[in-house]
Amino acid sequence: MAKDNQVLEEITSKEYEHGWTVNLEADESPKGLSEDIVRFISSKKQEPEWLLEWRLKAFRSWQKMVEPKWANVKYPEINYQDIIYYSAPKQKAGPNKLSEVDPELIKTFEKLGISLTEQKRLTGIAVDAVIDSVSVATTFKEKLGELGVIFCSFSEAVREHPELVKKYLGSVVPMNDNYFAALNSAVFSDGSFCYIPKGVRCPMELSTYFRINAANTGQFERTLIVAEEGSYVSYLEGCTAPMRDENQLHAAVVELYAMKDAQIKYSTVQNWYPGDKNGKGGIYNFVTKRGLCAGDHSKISWTQVETGSAITWKYPSCILKGDYSMGEFYSVAVTNNYQQADTGTKMTHIGKNTRSRIVSKGISAGKSQNSYRGQVHVMKRATNSRNFSQCDSLLMGDKCGAHTFPYIDVENSSSKIEHEATTSKIGEDQIFYCLQRGIDEEAAVALIVNGYAKEVLSQLPMEFAVEAQKLLALTLEGSVG
Amino acid sequence: MSAITSDIDLKEKIAQAFEQTPDRKNIQRTEALQHFQKLGLPGNKTEEYRFFPITRALEKNFDFDQSNPIESKIKSIYQFLIPDLEANVIVFINGIYSPVFSKVISPENEIIISDLRKAVNQNEAPLYFEKYLKTSADPFTALNTALWQDGVFIQVPAKTKVEKPVFILHINDAEKEQSICHTRLLVVLEEESELTLIERSTSIGTNNIFHTFAEEILVKENATLDYVKIQNDEGKLHQVANSLIHQSSKSKLNTFTLTMNGSLIRNNFNIAIDGENCESHFYGLYLLNGNTIADNHTVVDHIKPNSFSNELYKGVMDGNSKGVFNGKIFVRPNAQKTNAFQSNRNILLTDTATINTKPQLEIWADDVKCSHGCTSGQLDEEALFYLRSRGIPLNNAKAMLLYAFAAETLEPIKNTELKSYLDGLISQRLNKY
């Protein structure tokens, strides 16, 4: 046991490896939030009138809303007037070639392990990188353009494809959907936009990297993916932030729109700064993610690996509107030290013969609290629908907690819903078995945790799976409860 | 807790009803009323009462002016008894103890059964009264504590096995007018004692009935309790029962709740496992039709290590009925080596029936084995086909399968007369399909 504690201490004292800052000159708005700030952001981005109106409408409804308190997380009151809502790395003009991008910025991405340079071509990923609040560079644009795929920063999309943005913005997550979505709708500064035309199978993985760099800023990005009839896209998202003592707010919105026969696969590896081992600092991650399976036979699949953030409040959901549409949710959430995660999904079955599948694996260590909160709602006309949910929790150490809050609401007699959940720790017998075969304790834990999370990790695209596996091993190596 | 605006009138009406209670000066009652006023009646935004529209029903169907419980003209209770079961019978009619119909057959040294109103002022009852069931936790517990009219105190002395079960019968007579009653129960099983307790509520007449229960049961070291609740009301019963069973070390508990009829039936059933090496079997069955709403909120709270709990609730929903299940399992930081299992299975027979289920696990200890599962579905097509291909008509085949589904929940019941009675009730209900 003494050894276990020692090992546990080692991990808990492990520092956050992405905790560096880069001296980028930033163009910032003053602190605080008001109609003027919303106007300031909008004019900074030279936005059309309709978008400004949309933001103001969102801002006004946000003012009337109250912060939701139902999640199983505790944090001090957020002062929304003490946050900088707009921070952009200073650049002369929009970069057209990579060589024009600020070299400091390139260094940032090299540190992150995502180089925007040509070498990335070998891995075949198109990257859109968002630093603080602004999208700085998008690769492989031309190649995608040949197929008619639009993949660019949100501001560019507003400039070049206003009709698409206008049509789909807020169609899945309305501006007044919830407190944080309304806040995001009012002040979002950038994000990614992706449009896959009819019948096109996107030839490469699309990827966005988010990073918060400047202090006191909040990041509010918005992602909108529209997949036309019969198209397919796989989208990756990664996030990191520097170490800071104060808490920073991240309130993003992701909207997915899948037409008939379309398929969207959305994967996230979230590694925001989780705070130090005493629970100081860290990112408050309040994210609204929702996908709409609008057409028949469409499919949306969410995969997430959540290892960072002081507080995670995130429920990637699917609205299964089209008949025979399908929603999937695969999640691994790891919490350590004083991290708190309240995450899960919401599957709303509206169309007939719709199917959904939920696999959630929670791992809690240290003094953290990890909650799964999910809803499966089968409406009256969603006949013959099917849902299977599985939520497992693994506890490491006796000071952490694992909680499960599944809501299951069924309104017709022909649907089948199954839900199961378990909570346990790594068995001494499992460890013993590995030791016996010459695998040391640390490797054994890594092996068991990877096996435990495999069902989710195997859903990730190759490049991400490797990173996610490493992340898991790093956060948890050697922790025998 | 969010109070909806119109419930202010209702709250005032209830407070006026309090002014007419004979014991209104009692400090526990006044405190409870304050708690009730603070908590307010639950609105549809109150998480715990989201699917249970009790406040609306109370507003619509009841006036709280009536002060005294109404007289009943019941001649016989024979039809409500369990055939062939020799038991100590305690009868409440419209919430008031009925000495005429009640009959204690166990010897005095085996069991103490007394009037709770008298007992709270003497003996040991005050030690346990309101000890674990907190009035601040639920508005209806508070309401009951403020307004309770009558109740029973049962104490089983140490090292005693009560041979004959105790059968508590609540009859609500709403033939002439509405009935509102608040009943209490306090049961103490001393060390190494054993008791079978059966509680049945039933009603007569077509007027509205509002009945609250507050029940506290203590099961001390090495004691064993079998507890069966039968909720088979025919009338327009609106019921909120708050029950708490407190288990000490090495105690054993078997419970079974059968809910069949009524308008709005709510059971808040909590088990606190406050001792090591306890065993709890926590079973329930709801067979609903018509417009019945049955809401089972259960809590199993593991406070001490090394205990075992197993919860199984099943439901069959027909007509426009609505089943609600919320099962919480808490495993506190100290409660290492806990094994806690929970399962909730539902069958919906029509498209107008609904089920809202929320199995909830909250775990703060690492060396535990906990699981929960819940399902909602329909009868297995293949099994139906199998039976029909052997010449069994569809209706019979359905009834057989539903019976097989439901009967599993009778498992913890040991008393044979009781078991066959319940078995009869269930198969009679399911045979009509």
Coordinates of all heavy atoms in Angstrom, one line a residue, chain B residues 166-232:
Chain B
V166 N -47.5 -8.7 11.5 CA -48.3 -7.6 11.8 C -48.8 -7.0 10.5 O -48.1 -6.8 9.6 CB -47.5 -6.5 12.6 CG1 -48.3 -5.2 12.8 CG2 -47.0 -7.0 13.9
F167 N -50.2 -6.9 10.5 CA -50.8 -6.5 9.3 C -51.5 -5.1 9.5 O -52.4 -5.0 10.3 CB -51.9 -7.5 8.8 CG -52.6 -7.2 7.6 CD1 -51.9 -7.0 6.4 CD2 -54.0 -7.0 7.6 CE1 -52.6 -6.7 5.2 CE2 -54.6 -6.7 6.4 CZ -53.9 -6.6 5.2
I168 N -51.0 -4.1 8.9 CA -51.6 -2.7 9.1 C -52.4 -2.4 7.9 O -51.9 -2.4 6.8 CB -50.5 -1.7 9.3 CG1 -49.6 -2.0 10.5 CG2 -51.1 -0.3 9.6 CD1 -48.4 -1.1 10.7
L169 N -53.7 -2.1 8.2 CA -54.6 -1.9 7.1 C -55.1 -0.4 7.1 O -55.6 0.0 8.2 CB -55.8 -2.9 7.2 CG -56.9 -2.8 6.2 CD1 -56.4 -3.1 4.8 CD2 -58.0 -3.7 6.5
H170 N -54.9 0.3 6.1 CA -55.4 1.7 6.0 C -56.6 1.7 5.1 O -56.4 1.4 3.9 CB -54.3 2.6 5.4 CG -53.1 2.7 6.2 ND1 -53.0 3.4 7.4 CD2 -51.9 2.0 6.1 CE1 -51.7 3.2 7.9 NE2 -51.1 2.4 7.1
I171 N -57.7 2.0 5.6 CA -58.9 2.1 4.7 C -59.3 3.6 4.6 O -59.5 4.3 5.6 CB -60.1 1.3 5.3 CG1 -59.7 -0.2 5.5 CG2 -61.3 1.4 4.4 CD1 -60.7 -1.0 6.2
N172 N -59.4 4.0 3.3 CA -59.9 5.4 3.1 C -61.3 5.3 2.6 O -61.5 4.8 1.5 CB -59.0 6.1 2.1 CG -57.7 6.5 2.7 OD1 -57.6 7.3 3.7 ND2 -56.6 5.9 2.2
D173 N -62.2 5.8 3.4 CA -63.6 5.8 3.0 C -64.0 7.1 2.4 O -64.1 8.1 3.1 CB -64.5 5.5 4.2 CG -66.0 5.3 3.9 OD1 -66.3 5.7 2.7 OD2 -66.7 4.9 4.7
A174 N -64.1 7.2 1.1 CA -64.5 8.5 0.5 C -65.8 8.3 -0.3 O -66.0 8.9 -1.3 CB -63.4 8.9 -0.5
E175 N -66.7 7.6 0.3 CA -68.0 7.3 -0.2 C -68.8 8.6 -0.3 O -69.4 9.0 -1.4 CB -68.8 6.3 0.6 CG -69.9 5.7 -0.1 CD -69.6 4.2 -0.4 OE1 -69.2 3.5 0.5 OE2 -69.7 3.9 -1.6
K176 N -68.8 9.4 0.8 CA -69.6 10.6 0.8 C -68.8 11.9 0.4 O -69.3 12.7 -0.3 CB -70.1 10.8 2.3 CG -71.1 9.7 2.7 CD -72.4 10.4 3.3 CE -73.4 9.4 3.7 NZ -72.9 8.5 4.8
E177 N -67.7 12.0 1.0 CA -66.9 13.2 0.7 C -65.4 12.9 0.6 O -65.0 11.8 0.9 CB -67.2 14.3 1.7 CG -67.1 13.8 3.1 CD -67.4 14.9 4.2 OE1 -67.1 16.0 3.9 OE2 -68.0 14.5 5.2
Q178 N -64.6 14.0 0.3 CA -63.2 13.8 0.2 C -62.6 13.4 1.5 O -63.2 13.7 2.6 CB -62.6 15.1 -0.3 CG -62.8 16.2 0.6 CD -61.7 17.3 0.5 OE1 -61.0 17.4 -0.5 NE2 -61.6 18.2 1.4
S179 N -61.5 12.8 1.5 CA -60.8 12.4 2.7 C -59.3 12.9 2.7 O -58.7 12.7 1.7 CB -60.9 10.9 2.9 OG -60.0 10.5 3.9
I180 N -58.9 13.6 3.8 CA -57.5 14.0 3.8 C -57.0 13.4 5.1 O -57.5 13.6 6.2 CB -57.4 15.5 3.9 CG1 -57.9 16.1 2.6 CG2 -55.9 15.9 4.1 CD1 -57.9 17.6 2.5
C181 N -55.9 12.6 5.1 CA -55.4 12.1 6.3 C -53.9 12.0 6.3 O -53.2 11.9 5.2 CB -56.0 10.8 6.8 SG -56.5 9.7 5.4
H182 N -53.3 12.0 7.5 CA -51.8 12.0 7.7 C -51.5 11.0 8.7 O -51.9 11.1 9.9 CB -51.3 13.4 8.1 CG -51.8 14.5 7.2 ND1 -51.3 14.7 5.9 CD2 -52.8 15.4 7.4 CE1 -51.9 15.7 5.4 NE2 -52.8 16.2 6.2
T183 N -50.9 9.9 8.4 CA -50.6 8.8 9.3 C -49.2 8.6 9.5 O -48.4 8.8 8.6 CB -51.2 7.5 8.7 OG1 -52.5 7.8 8.1 CG2 -51.4 6.4 9.8
R184 N -48.8 8.1 10.7 CA -47.4 7.9 11.1 C -47.2 6.5 11.6 O -48.1 5.8 12.1 CB -47.0 8.8 12.1 CG -46.4 10.1 11.6 CD -45.7 10.8 12.7 NE -44.3 10.7 12.6 CZ -43.5 11.5 11.9 NH1 -44.0 12.5 11.3 NH2 -42.2 11.3 11.9
L185 N -46.0 6.0 11.4 CA -45.7 4.7 11.9 C -44.2 4.8 12.5 O -43.4 5.4 11.9 CB -45.7 3.7 10.7 CG -45.2 2.3 10.9 CD1 -46.2 1.6 11.8 CD2 -45.1 1.6 9.5
L186 N -44.1 4.1 13.6 CA -42.7 4.1 14.2 C -42.5 2.6 14.7 O -43.3 2.1 15.5 CB -42.6 5.1 15.4 CG -41.3 5.1 16.2 CD1 -40.1 5.4 15.3 CD2 -41.4 6.1 17.3
V187 N -41.5 2.0 14.1 CA -41.3 0.6 14.4 C -39.8 0.4 14.9 O -38.9 1.0 14.3 CB -41.5 -0.3 13.2 CG1 -41.2 -1.8 13.5 CG2 -42.9 -0.2 12.6
V188 N -39.6 -0.2 16.0 CA -38.3 -0.5 16.5 C -38.1 -2.0 16.7 O -38.8 -2.6 17.5 CB -38.0 0.3 17.8 CG1 -36.6 0.0 18.3 CG2 -38.3 1.8 17.7
L189 N -37.1 -2.5 16.0 CA -36.8 -3.9 16.2 C -35.5 -3.9 17.0 O -34.4 -3.5 16.5 CB -36.5 -4.6 14.9 CG -37.7 -5.3 14.2 CD1 -38.6 -4.3 13.6 CD2 -37.3 -6.3 13.1
E190 N -35.6 -4.4 18.3 CA -34.4 -4.5 19.1 C -33.5 -5.6 18.6 O -33.8 -6.4 17.8 CB -34.8 -4.7 20.6 CG -35.7 -3.6 21.1 CD -35.0 -2.2 21.3 OE1 -33.7 -2.2 21.3 OE2 -35.6 -1.2 21.6
E191 N -32.3 -5.7 19.3 CA -31.2 -6.6 18.9 C -31.8 -8.0 18.7 O -32.5 -8.5 19.6 CB -30.1 -6.6 19.9 CG -29.2 -5.4 19.8 CD -29.7 -4.2 20.6 OE1 -30.8 -4.4 21.2 OE2 -29.1 -3.2 20.6
E192 N -31.4 -8.7 17.7 CA -31.7 -10.1 17.4 C -33.2 -10.4 17.4 O -33.6 -11.5 17.7 CB -31.0 -11.0 18.4 CG -29.5 -11.0 18.2 CD -28.8 -11.8 19.3 OE1 -29.2 -13.0 19.5 OE2 -27.8 -11.3 19.9
S193 N -34.0 -9.4 17.1 CA -35.4 -9.7 17.0 C -35.8 -10.0 15.5 O -35.0 -9.7 14.6 CB -36.2 -8.6 17.5 OG -36.0 -7.4 16.8
E194 N -37.0 -10.4 15.3 CA -37.5 -10.7 13.9 C -39.0 -10.4 13.8 O -39.8 -10.7 14.7 CB -37.3 -12.3 13.7 CG -36.6 -12.6 12.4 CD -36.4 -14.1 12.2 OE1 -35.7 -14.6 13.0 OE2 -37.0 -14.6 11.3
L195 N -39.3 -9.8 12.7 CA -40.7 -9.4 12.5 C -41.1 -9.4 11.0 O -40.2 -9.0 10.1 CB -40.9 -8.0 13.0 CG -42.3 -7.3 12.8 CD1 -43.3 -8.0 13.7 CD2 -42.2 -5.8 13.1
T196 N -42.3 -9.8 10.7 CA -42.8 -9.6 9.4 C -43.9 -8.5 9.4 O -44.9 -8.7 10.2 CB -43.4 -10.9 8.8 OG1 -42.4 -11.9 8.8 CG2 -44.0 -10.7 7.4
L197 N -43.8 -7.5 8.7 CA -44.7 -6.4 8.7 C -45.3 -6.2 7.3 O -44.7 -6.1 6.3 CB -43.9 -5.1 9.1 CG -44.7 -3.8 9.3 CD1 -45.7 -3.9 10.4 CD2 -43.7 -2.6 9.5
I198 N -46.7 -6.1 7.4 CA -47.4 -6.0 6.1 C -48.2 -4.7 6.2 O -48.9 -4.5 7.2 CB -48.3 -7.2 5.8 CG1 -47.5 -8.5 5.9 CG2 -49.0 -7.0 4.4 CD1 -48.3 -9.7 6.1
E199 N -48.2 -3.9 5.2 CA -49.0 -2.7 5.2 C -49.8 -2.6 4.0 O -49.3 -2.7 2.9 CB -48.0 -1.5 5.3 CG -48.5 -0.4 6.1 CD -47.6 0.8 6.1 OE1 -46.4 0.7 5.7 OE2 -48.1 1.9 6.3
R200 N -51.1 -2.4 4.1 CA -51.9 -2.3 2.9 C -52.8 -1.1 3.0 O -53.4 -0.8 4.0 CB -52.8 -3.6 2.8 CG -53.7 -3.5 1.7 CD -54.5 -4.8 1.4 NE -55.4 -4.5 0.3 CZ -56.3 -5.3 -0.2 NH1 -56.5 -6.5 0.4 NH2 -57.0 -5.0 -1.2
S201 N -52.9 -0.4 1.9 CA -53.8 0.7 1.9 C -54.8 0.4 0.8 O -54.5 -0.1 -0.3 CB -53.1 2.1 1.6 OG -52.5 2.0 0.3
T202 N -56.1 0.8 1.1 CA -57.2 0.5 0.2 C -58.2 1.6 0.3 O -58.2 2.3 1.3 CB -57.7 -0.9 0.5 OG1 -58.7 -1.2 -0.5 CG2 -58.4 -1.0 1.8
S203 N -59.1 1.7 -0.6 CA -60.1 2.8 -0.5 C -61.4 2.4 -1.0 O -61.6 1.5 -1.9 CB -59.6 4.1 -1.2 OG -59.0 3.7 -2.4
I204 N -62.4 3.1 -0.5 CA -63.8 2.9 -0.9 C -64.4 4.2 -1.4 O -64.0 5.3 -0.9 CB -64.7 2.4 0.3 CG1 -64.0 1.3 1.0 CG2 -66.1 2.1 -0.1 CD1 -64.5 1.0 2.4
G205 N -65.2 4.2 -2.4 CA -65.9 5.4 -2.8 C -65.1 6.1 -3.9 O -64.0 5.8 -4.3
T206 N -65.8 7.2 -4.5 CA -65.2 7.8 -5.7 C -64.7 9.2 -5.5 O -64.3 9.9 -6.4 CB -66.3 7.8 -6.8 OG1 -67.5 8.3 -6.3 CG2 -66.6 6.4 -7.4
N207 N -64.8 9.7 -4.2 CA -64.3 11.0 -3.9 C -62.8 11.0 -3.8 O -62.2 9.9 -3.7 CB -64.9 11.6 -2.7 CG -66.4 12.0 -2.9 OD1 -66.7 12.7 -3.9 ND2 -67.3 11.4 -2.1
N208 N -62.2 12.2 -3.9 CA -60.7 12.3 -3.8 C -60.2 12.0 -2.4 O -60.8 12.3 -1.4 CB -60.3 13.7 -4.2 CG -60.4 13.9 -5.7 OD1 -59.8 13.1 -6.5 ND2 -61.2 14.8 -6.1
I209 N -59.0 11.4 -2.4 CA -58.4 11.1 -1.1 C -56.9 11.6 -1.2 O -56.3 11.4 -2.2 CB -58.3 9.6 -0.9 CG1 -59.7 9.0 -0.9 CG2 -57.6 9.3 0.4 CD1 -59.8 7.5 -1.2
F210 N -56.5 12.3 -0.1 CA -55.1 12.7 0.0 C -54.6 12.1 1.2 O -55.1 12.4 2.3 CB -55.0 14.2 0.0 CG -53.6 14.7 0.2 CD1 -52.5 14.2 -0.5 CD2 -53.3 15.7 1.1 CE1 -51.2 14.7 -0.3 CE2 -52.1 16.2 1.3 CZ -51.0 15.7 0.6
H211 N -53.6 11.3 1.1 CA -53.1 10.6 2.3 C -51.5 10.7 2.3 O -50.9 10.3 1.4 CB -53.5 9.1 2.2 CG -53.4 8.4 3.5 ND1 -54.1 7.2 3.7 CD2 -52.8 8.7 4.7 CE1 -53.9 6.8 5.0 NE2 -53.1 7.7 5.6
T212 N -51.0 11.2 3.4 CA -49.5 11.2 3.5 C -49.1 10.2 4.6 O -49.9 10.0 5.6 CB -48.9 12.6 3.9 OG1 -49.3 12.9 5.2 CG2 -49.4 13.7 2.9
F213 N -48.0 9.6 4.4 CA -47.4 8.7 5.4 C -46.0 9.2 5.8 O -45.3 9.7 5.0 CB -47.3 7.3 4.9 CG -48.6 6.6 4.6 CD1 -49.2 6.7 3.4 CD2 -49.2 5.8 5.6 CE1 -50.4 6.0 3.1 CE2 -50.4 5.2 5.4 CZ -51.0 5.3 4.1
A214 N -45.7 9.1 7.1 CA -44.3 9.2 7.5 C -44.0 8.0 8.3 O -44.6 7.8 9.3 CB -44.1 10.5 8.3
E215 N -43.0 7.2 7.8 CA -42.8 5.9 8.5 C -41.3 5.8 8.8 O -40.4 6.0 8.0 CB -43.2 4.8 7.6 CG -44.6 4.9 7.1 CD -45.1 3.9 6.1 OE1 -44.3 3.7 5.2 OE2 -46.2 3.5 6.2
E216 N -41.1 5.5 10.1 CA -39.7 5.4 10.6 C -39.5 3.9 11.1 O -40.3 3.5 12.0 CB -39.4 6.4 11.6 CG -39.4 7.8 11.2 CD -39.5 8.8 12.3 OE1 -40.6 9.0 12.9 OE2 -38.4 9.3 12.7
I217 N -38.5 3.2 10.6 CA -38.3 1.9 11.1 C -36.9 1.7 11.4 O -36.0 2.0 10.6 CB -38.7 0.9 10.0 CG1 -40.2 1.0 9.6 CG2 -38.5 -0.6 10.4 CD1 -40.7 0.2 8.5
L218 N -36.6 1.2 12.6 CA -35.2 1.0 13.0 C -35.0 -0.5 13.2 O -35.7 -1.2 13.9 CB -35.0 1.6 14.4 CG -34.6 3.1 14.4 CD1 -35.8 3.9 14.3 CD2 -33.8 3.4 15.6
V219 N -34.0 -1.0 12.5 CA -33.6 -2.4 12.6 C -32.3 -2.5 13.3 O -31.3 -2.1 12.7 CB -33.6 -3.0 11.2 CG1 -33.4 -4.5 11.3 CG2 -34.9 -2.7 10.4
K220 N -32.3 -2.9 14.5 CA -31.0 -2.9 15.3 C -30.1 -4.1 15.0 O -30.5 -5.0 14.2 CB -31.3 -2.7 16.7 CG -32.0 -1.4 17.1 CD -31.8 -1.0 18.5 CE -32.5 0.3 18.8 NZ -32.5 0.5 20.2
E221 N -29.0 -4.2 15.7 CA -28.0 -5.3 15.4 C -28.7 -6.6 15.3 O -29.4 -7.0 16.2 CB -26.9 -5.3 16.5 CG -25.9 -4.3 16.4 CD -26.3 -3.0 17.0 OE1 -27.2 -3.0 17.8 OE2 -25.6 -1.9 16.8
N222 N -28.3 -7.4 14.3 CA -28.7 -8.8 14.1 C -30.2 -9.0 14.0 O -30.7 -10.1 14.0 CB -28.2 -9.6 15.3 CG -26.7 -10.0 15.1 OD1 -26.3 -10.5 14.1 ND2 -26.0 -9.7 16.2
A223 N -31.0 -7.9 13.8 CA -32.4 -8.1 13.7 C -32.8 -8.3 12.2 O -32.0 -8.0 11.3 CB -33.1 -6.8 14.2
T224 N -33.9 -8.9 12.0 CA -34.4 -9.2 10.7 C -35.8 -8.7 10.5 O -36.7 -8.9 11.3 CB -34.4 -10.7 10.4 OG1 -33.1 -11.2 10.7 CG2 -34.8 -11.1 9.0
L225 N -36.0 -7.9 9.4 CA -37.3 -7.4 9.1 C -37.7 -7.8 7.7 O -37.0 -7.6 6.7 CB -37.3 -5.9 9.2 CG -38.6 -5.2 8.8 CD1 -39.8 -5.5 9.8 CD2 -38.4 -3.7 8.7
D226 N -38.9 -8.3 7.6 CA -39.6 -8.5 6.2 C -40.7 -7.5 6.2 O -41.5 -7.5 7.0 CB -40.2 -9.9 6.1 CG -39.1 -10.9 5.9 OD1 -37.9 -10.5 5.9 OD2 -39.4 -12.1 5.9
Y227 N -40.7 -6.7 5.1 CA -41.6 -5.5 5.1 C -42.3 -5.5 3.7 O -41.6 -5.4 2.7 CB -40.8 -4.2 5.3 CG -41.6 -3.0 5.4 CD1 -43.0 -3.0 5.8 CD2 -41.1 -1.8 5.0 CE1 -43.7 -1.8 5.9 CE2 -41.8 -0.6 5.1 CZ -43.1 -0.6 5.5 OH -43.8 0.6 5.6
V228 N -43.6 -5.7 3.7 CA -44.3 -5.7 2.4 C -45.4 -4.6 2.4 O -46.1 -4.4 3.4 CB -45.0 -7.1 2.2 CG1 -45.9 -7.1 1.0 CG2 -43.9 -8.2 2.1
K229 N -45.4 -3.9 1.3 CA -46.4 -2.8 1.2 C -47.3 -3.2 0.0 O -46.8 -3.4 -1.1 CB -45.7 -1.5 0.9 CG -45.1 -0.8 2.0 CD -44.5 0.5 1.5 CE -44.3 1.5 2.7 NZ -44.3 2.9 2.3
I230 N -48.6 -3.1 0.2 CA -49.5 -3.4 -0.9 C -50.3 -2.1 -1.1 O -51.1 -1.7 -0.3 CB -50.4 -4.6 -0.6 CG1 -49.6 -5.8 -0.1 CG2 -51.3 -4.9 -1.8 CD1 -50.4 -6.9 0.6
Q231 N -50.2 -1.5 -2.3 CA -50.9 -0.3 -2.6 C -51.8 -0.7 -3.8 O -51.5 -0.7 -4.9 CB -49.9 0.8 -3.0 CG -48.9 1.1 -1.9 CD -47.8 2.0 -2.3 OE1 -47.4 2.0 -3.4 NE2 -47.3 2.7 -1.3
N232 N -53.1 -1.0 -3.4 CA -54.0 -1.5 -4.4 C -55.3 -0.8 -4.3 O -56.4 -1.4 -4.1 CB -54.2 -3.0 -4.1 CG -55.0 -3.7 -5.2 OD1 -55.1 -3.1 -6.3 ND2 -55.6 -4.8 -4.9

